[in-house]
Amino acid sequence: MIEIVEVSPRDGLQNEDRTLSTEDKLELVARAARTGVRRIEVTSFVRPDRVPQLADAAEVVAGLPDTGVAHSALVLNARGYERAVAAGIREVTTLVLASDTFSQRNQGMTTAEAVEAVRDIRARGRADGVTVAVTIGASFGCPFEGEVPDERFRSVAARVADLDADEVCLADTIGVAVPSDVETRFGVLAELSPSVPMRIHLHDTRNTGVANAVAAVRSGVRALDASLGGIGGCPFAPGASGNVATEDVVYTLHRMGYDTGLDLDECLEHARWVTDRLGVAPSGRLASVGGFPA
């Protein structure tokens, strides 16, 4: 079983020009749940002036139905964590960027300072019974510094391992990874955190997203972020276009014999719905050509 974590309501929407209404966001969450997904990243509790598309985070969480699907949110600091928990979120993802330049531009702090911020959130989560995952952003390349050297990645991954998070995710924030990169860096992560579940967050910027998803699964990763229609990206990373499309990942894994628990036809229907609401074309291939056999 490979878990697909649907991120279109958060990472999918944050980089789009058109801002959906709260009602449309809740409709997207409901449609994502109908695909069969069991975990949805629904929003982020960050500064509204930085990510205006998600300024209604508390309203979205207040409108979520109790259907047994896990709802998570991104938080970057203690204030974001407090807002998320006050709204009713019980699962958060935090962020440590692999390069200092990107960390300063994205979060206003160094990588080391971000680790300490996450350490505080992790302690609060333990006390509150809130699940805390850590994403190492720009794990495979930085939009400002370029390559992330192996020794730098290992250093950051070791600091994150020391946090003893509930899950660690490696993010290809600007879509530069190739399968061999994925295999190597998850090998390092598994060495440093052998008992911590691993997840991957992929952008399909250079058409390597699905190949990297396969490489991750073959490296022991059992949870993959994906976004219906391939919408989204990072507004603070130049060139960080679209997430890997949920429907493309589901098709590939199913044809390989893996079970995701998702219905491909439902994925296609809702990928077309959200891209239509945003006024964009799906970036994934399946939304255009459909599955096989037809």
Side-chain angles (χ1 to χ4, degrees), residues 50 97 100-110 113:
R50 294 277 281 169
L97 285 159
D100 278 319
T101 305
F102 194 6
S103 187
Q104 288 280 13
R105 296 201 185 198
N106 189 71
Q107 293 165 259
M109 60 181 76
T110 65
E113 289 167 340

Side-chain angles (χ1 to χ4, degrees), residues 27-176:
E27 175 68 15
L28 175 56
V29 172
R31 285 173 175 269
R34 292 206 288 274
T35 68
V37 74
R38 304 307 300 163
R39 185 163 32 149
I40 304 172
E41 189 178 54
V42 294
T43 192
S44 65
F45 286 84
V46 297
R47 285 172 45 183
D49 62 318
R50 294 277 281 169
V51 188
Q53 294 92 332
L54 303 180
D56 59 349
E59 291 79 4
V60 167
V61 175
L64 294 171
D66 185 7
T67 59
V69 175
H71 297 131
S72 69
L74 175 72
V75 302
L76 299 182
N77 51 39
R79 174 58 182 152
Y81 173 83
E82 291 165 0
R83 290 174 56 210
V85 172
I89 288 292
R90 307 304 297 169
E91 179 175 328
V92 300
T93 293
T94 58
L95 179 64
V96 172
L97 285 159
S99 80
D100 278 319
T101 305
F102 194 6
S103 187
Q104 288 280 13
R105 296 201 185 198
N106 189 71
Q107 293 165 259
M109 60 181 76
T110 65
T111 298
E113 289 167 340
V115 169
E116 294 312 306
V118 172
R119 193 182 305 280
D120 175 57
I121 292 170
R122 176 60 170 149
R124 290 172 181 239
R126 282 199 180 99
D128 297 335
V130 173
T131 298
V132 178
V134 182
T135 292
I136 303 178
S139 284
F140 305 95
C142 170
F144 306 105
E145 296 181 16
E147 299 285 357
V148 174
D150 291 343
E151 60 272 20
R152 171 66 178 184
F153 173 78
R154 178 177 282 274
S155 172
V156 174
R159 294 180 188 180
V160 169
D162 185 57
L163 300 172
D164 190 28
D166 291 300
E167 181 181 59
V168 176
C169 175
L170 300 188
D172 187 16
T173 309
I174 56 172
V176 295

Side-chain angles (χ1 to χ4, degrees), residues 225-247:
D225 288 358
S227 177
L228 289 167
I231 62 171
C234 178
F236 308 110
S241 57
N243 292 281
V244 68
T246 302
E247 58 275 15

Side-chain angles (χ1 to χ4, degrees), residues 164-197:
D164 190 28
D166 291 300
E167 181 181 59
V168 176
C169 175
L170 300 188
D172 187 16
T173 309
I174 56 172
V176 295
V178 295
S180 56
D181 299 328
V182 172
E183 294 163 358
T184 298
R185 301 232 152 153
F186 273 105
V188 171
L189 185 61
E191 174 192 333
L192 295 170
S193 305
S195 62
V196 177

